[in-house]
Amino acid sequence: MKLVVLTGELQGTEFPLTGSEMTLGRRPEADISLSHDPRVSRHHASLLLREGHWYIEDAGSANGTYVNDRRIHEPTRLRIGDRIRVGRTWLEVVPEPVPAAQREAERLVSMVEQTGDGAAENVVMEVGAVPQVPRVADADALRQRLLILMQVGEALGSTLELDELLRRILDYIFEVLPAERGVILLNGADGQPTPRIVRLRTGGDDTAVTVSRNIVDRALAGHVTILTEDALTDERFQDASSIQDLGIRAALCAPLVHRGEAIGAIYLDTTSDIEMFGPDAVELINAIAPQAAAAIANATLYAQVRAAYDELRRTQEQLLQAEKLSTIGTLAASLAHDMANIVAPLGPITHRLQREGKLEPREQEIAVAQVQRLNTLIRRLMSFARPQQTQRTRIQPAELVQSTVAMVETEARHRRVTLVTELADHLPAVAGDRAQLEQALLNLLINAIEVCTEGGTVKITAGVDGDDLAISVSDNGPGIPIEVQEKLFEPFFTTKPQGTGLGLYSARRIVQEEHGGVLELDSRPGEGTTVTMRLPIQE
């Protein structure tokens, strides 16, 4: 996989995830350097490869690392489609079109055309890809070969991950054959063999591997295994300088045939004058190749089926969620409309009864408070309905916060939760739909109040953070477990017995989709939760 920058000066820049650990930060020497973003720390985060999966870990940055709008406090596994935010920069995790092993193989392997007329002059053996009948003379060798084939079969059947499978194939071949360089080539979409993985017994990372395209093509076309000896004097390689430089003595190429179709080839070579390939090597590779071909075909099919299943599952989930949202939106709008009609006359009636002396002051206070709670519930229901066209106006943040807090004061008193409001001076205006933003903030406030125990505190702050207006709602509740945080913004996910699972989903839609902002979650079990609305400041 790789990271693609979605915003800022580096938009579109790709950073492949390679090695076992990478650094991300503002320093130019960082593996993923975001030097253009002043809100990124010099060493902001680390990316770690653990048991085949990539994780991101915040490195104590000043502004935090967010994965899918959730601030992380421990190593978090990355998955395709995840969105990462550091500072003001957004990155997305996308699959590599070319696996890392294949990129490395394509870098090291050079496919050369043979020259000269002696096309078969140094071909010592050319035998069918079907396993040959071993010679009976050497019983010990036969037993050893049988044991090897059993081990190979067992190992190749233990994984369906293609890259891991290819690596194991070469590992086992290198255990039983004196190869110094090995390449597995697989046919691409165009039908041409492409290097997928390379294995070097010795030499540095820049050691070149030269493969004869003619030999590979012949092996694939004829389904035959080809052994050529003394490549240094082979006319077909006279123009291949790397073969001359490396002093290659022998090369072996076996086709990978599955159900009568060649899907690739195994290529091996050596520079040794002592341990060269012979008939035994041909027989052994001819026995391993069919097993490898079947395992590769199964792994490829598995990957295709898994990708198709994942795509089908995502589509089904989207359809199901869309259907549920449509249904509940229609019901919520209808219910809210009916409730509004019922509640509307209650206020004037209450005031008239009080004027006529038929209500005590305490009774009036209770009646007014309950009407206000009903109005708040109506507004929450309206947020679940289909989103209406945004009516953008110039909004003063202090007025937005104060009016929304007023809606929940009765609920907070009822639950004996203290509301604390801290607004910075001279807050700049933002452009947006006041009703929608009030609804988003209302959802956050109600969630915070509901998780607090009696005597708890909910703190609402508003201030300028760079180019954003940041409105935060913090509670001193129990915090949210990590496994729950990852699902909080999904529609219909809730941990409340009577919850709908649409509060945070609705708030996120309003802030991010309707207003181009960001909704952030920062929570630690036992330490409370903070949800922040970041909105672009109006110029």
Side-chain angles (χ1 to χ4, degrees):
M1 61 178 63
K2 60 184 176 182
L3 299 184
V4 178
V5 181
L6 302 179
T7 58
E9 298 177 9
L10 296 180
Q11 182 175 356
T13 303
E14 299 180 355
F15 294 98
L17 300 184
T18 59
S20 59
E21 182 174 353
M22 300 180 70
T23 57
L24 182 154
R26 203 173 69 250
R27 296 179 302 178
E29 61 269 24
D31 299 311
I32 300 175
S33 178
L34 304 175
S35 56
H36 67 291
D37 189 339
R39 289 180 58 82
V40 173
S41 299
R42 289 178 56 79
H43 180 197
H44 197 103
S46 296
L47 292 125
L48 313 169
L49 182 63
R50 296 179 177 175
E51 299 180 351
H53 301 292
W54 280 97
Y55 290 77
I56 187 168
E57 181 179 22
D58 186 75
S61 62
N63 295 306
T65 299
Y66 293 80
V67 176
N68 297 328
D69 306 316
R70 176 176 64 87
R71 186 167 184 171
I72 62 171
H73 299 283
E74 58 185 40
T76 300
R77 180 178 169 183
L78 295 177
R79 294 175 172 83
I80 300 300
D82 282 348
R83 289 163 63 92
I84 301 169
R85 186 173 68 80
V86 290
R88 302 189 186 283
T89 303
W90 284 90
L91 305 98
E92 184 174 5
V93 182
V94 300
E96 274 278 22
V98 179
Q102 181 176 344
R103 280 202 318 274
E104 181 68 3
E106 291 178 348
R107 183 179 73 87
L108 293 179
V109 175
S110 174
M111 302 286 289
V112 299
E113 297 286 349
Q114 299 170 351
T115 59
D117 297 329
E121 180 177 344
N122 289 306
V123 174
V124 177
M125 293 192 66
E126 184 171 316
V127 297
V130 178
Q132 303 298 297
V133 178
R135 290 169 294 166
V136 184
D138 193 344
D140 291 338
L142 292 180
R143 284 192 294 271
Q144 179 65 20
R145 188 175 299 128
L146 179 60
L147 178 61
I148 291 171
L149 295 179
M150 291 175 60
Q151 293 174 339
V152 170
E154 181 179 352
L156 298 188
S158 63
T159 181
L160 286 172
E161 296 294 335
L162 184 57
D163 286 347
E164 174 64 16
L165 175 65
L166 298 179
R167 184 188 65 77
R168 290 187 184 185
I169 291 171
L170 285 182
D171 284 348
Y172 273 98
I173 289 175
F174 271 57
E175 285 185 14
V176 297
L177 291 178
E180 295 183 12
R181 284 165 294 277
V183 181
I184 294 180
L185 307 97
L186 297 181
N187 292 348
D190 58 358
Q192 297 300 312
T194 301
R196 283 298 303 267
I197 191 169
V198 62
R199 164 77 187 270
L200 309 174
R201 190 181 297 275
T202 59
D205 293 337
D206 293 327
T207 301
V209 179
T210 300
V211 176
S212 163
R213 185 181 300 276
N214 299 56
I215 285 183
V216 172
D217 288 345
R218 183 201 290 184
L220 294 177
H223 294 190
V224 294
T225 297
I226 296 175
L227 170 64
T228 179
E229 292 183 354
D230 201 8
L232 286 175
T233 61
D234 194 326
E235 293 181 0
R236 296 166 297 174
F237 296 110
Q238 293 307 304
D239 292 341
S241 59
S242 55
I243 280 186
Q244 306 299 319
D245 295 340
L246 293 172
I248 293 175
R249 294 292 181 180
L252 179 62
C253 184
L256 295 166
V257 180
H258 180 67
R259 294 184 177 178
E261 179 182 356
I263 62 173
I266 300 173
Y267 174 87
L268 310 169
D269 68 34
T270 180
T271 62
S272 174
D273 289 325
I274 301 174
E275 293 184 302
M276 296 182 66
F277 304 133
D280 286 344
V282 174
E283 290 178 355
L284 188 56
I285 200 69
N286 246 15
I288 293 175
Q291 296 186 69
I296 290 170
N298 289 339
T300 302
L301 180 60
Y302 169 75
Q304 294 171 347
V305 171
R306 184 176 60 181
Y309 172 78
D310 289 343
E311 181 63 27
L312 177 62
R313 178 177 52 79
R314 285 192 295 269
T315 302
Q316 288 177 330
E317 289 176 351
Q318 291 170 358
L319 290 174
L320 181 61
Q321 289 178 359
E323 183 178 354
K324 286 182 178 180
L325 287 172
S326 176
T327 301
I328 200 169
T330 302
L331 291 175
S334 176
L335 180 60
H337 181 268
D338 292 341
M339 289 180 63
N341 290 336
I342 295 171
V343 172
L346 294 181
I349 291 173
T350 301
H351 288 293
R352 181 171 62 81
L353 291 174
Q354 194 274 335
R355 286 196 307 269
E356 295 175 356
K358 297 179 180 180
L359 282 180
E360 296 293 332
R362 177 58 180 164
E363 292 175 330
Q364 182 187 12
E365 180 183 352
I366 294 173
V368 170
Q370 295 306 315
V371 169
Q372 189 173 22
R373 292 184 70 187
L374 283 171
N375 280 321
T376 299
L377 178 59
I378 290 171
R379 300 197 62 157
R380 294 187 73 188
L381 285 172
M382 289 301 295
S383 74
F384 300 156
R386 293 178 181 273
Q388 303 299 315
Q389 185 174 2
T390 303
Q391 302 294 325
R392 290 188 176 273
T393 60
R394 184 180 175 87
I395 301 172
Q396 297 298 329
E399 295 177 5
L400 173 70
V401 172
Q402 290 165 353
S403 64
T404 310
V405 169
M407 297 181 196
V408 298
E409 286 178 338
T410 301
E411 183 71 15
R413 284 198 301 270
H414 177 74
R415 293 177 177 268
R416 293 181 173 83
V417 172
T418 301
L419 297 178
V420 177
T421 303
E422 293 183 1
L423 306 179
D425 296 332
H426 310 298
L427 289 172
V430 294
D433 186 305
R434 184 184 181 98
Q436 287 188 356
L437 291 176
E438 279 184 348
Q439 186 58 58
L441 183 56
L442 180 64
N443 289 348
L444 302 185
L445 286 170
I446 291 176
N447 281 345
I449 292 170
E450 289 179 346
V451 300
C452 285
T453 57
E454 185 173 324
T457 301
V458 172
K459 183 177 181 180
I460 306 97
T461 63
V464 175
D465 186 4
D467 298 329
D468 298 332
L469 169 71
I471 302 175
S472 297
V473 177
S474 304
D475 64 69
N476 61 352
I480 305 171
I482 298 298
E483 61 274 13
V484 174
Q485 291 184 35
E486 296 176 350
K487 302 178 180 179
L488 269 185
F489 293 106
E490 296 178 4
F492 309 110
F493 176 81
T494 181
T495 58
K496 305 172 186 176
Q498 305 300 323
T500 63
L502 290 171
L504 280 175
Y505 170 80
S506 175
R508 185 183 191 184
R509 174 184 60 77
I510 290 171
V511 172
Q512 298 191 177
E513 296 180 17
E514 301 294 336
H515 291 82
V518 176
L519 192 68
E520 298 174 345
L521 173 72
D522 185 3
S523 182
R524 293 188 184 186
E527 299 183 19
T529 299
T530 298
V531 183
T532 301
M533 296 169 45
R534 292 184 177 274
L535 300 168
I537 295 174
Q538 186 178 26
E539 296 295 339

